[in-house]
Amino acid sequence: FILNAGVHKDLYLTERARMMLQFTVTNAPNRVNYNNPASNISAPATVGRITSAGAARTGQVGMRIEF
């Protein structure tokens, strides 16, 4: 399974302006997510082998000002 998470906070600067801060993370526990095993029967040495994995943990920070 893949666990993604995100949080954001709205900060009101004035009556008409606000700033939004956000932080998102994909694959939060940084668990290995293996891709499917090879199934090409014309290359029998690799059939059933898992030779790659999904992406590692990534994070993103953002800020937006609205007025």
Side-chain angles (χ1 to χ4, degrees):
F1 74 97
I2 298 176
L3 179 65
N4 300 328
V7 294
H8 81 273
K9 173 76 176 169
D10 290 328
L11 301 170
Y12 291 91
L13 305 173
T14 65
E15 193 172 299
R16 294 178 32 176
R18 74 175 180 162
M19 179 171 60
M20 185 173 95
L21 302 171
Q22 70 181 69
F23 176 70
T24 58
V25 177
T26 58
N27 193 12
N30 206 25
R31 181 180 171 274
V32 177
N33 296 302
Y34 295 109
N35 290 337
N36 292 329
S39 60
N40 185 0
I41 60 173
S42 61
T46 62
V47 171
R49 288 190 182 179
I50 299 174
T51 58
S52 59
R57 178 187 315 147
T58 58
Q60 178 176 312
V61 176
M63 180 183 78
R64 183 167 83 184
I65 298 176
E66 296 178 354
F67 52 92

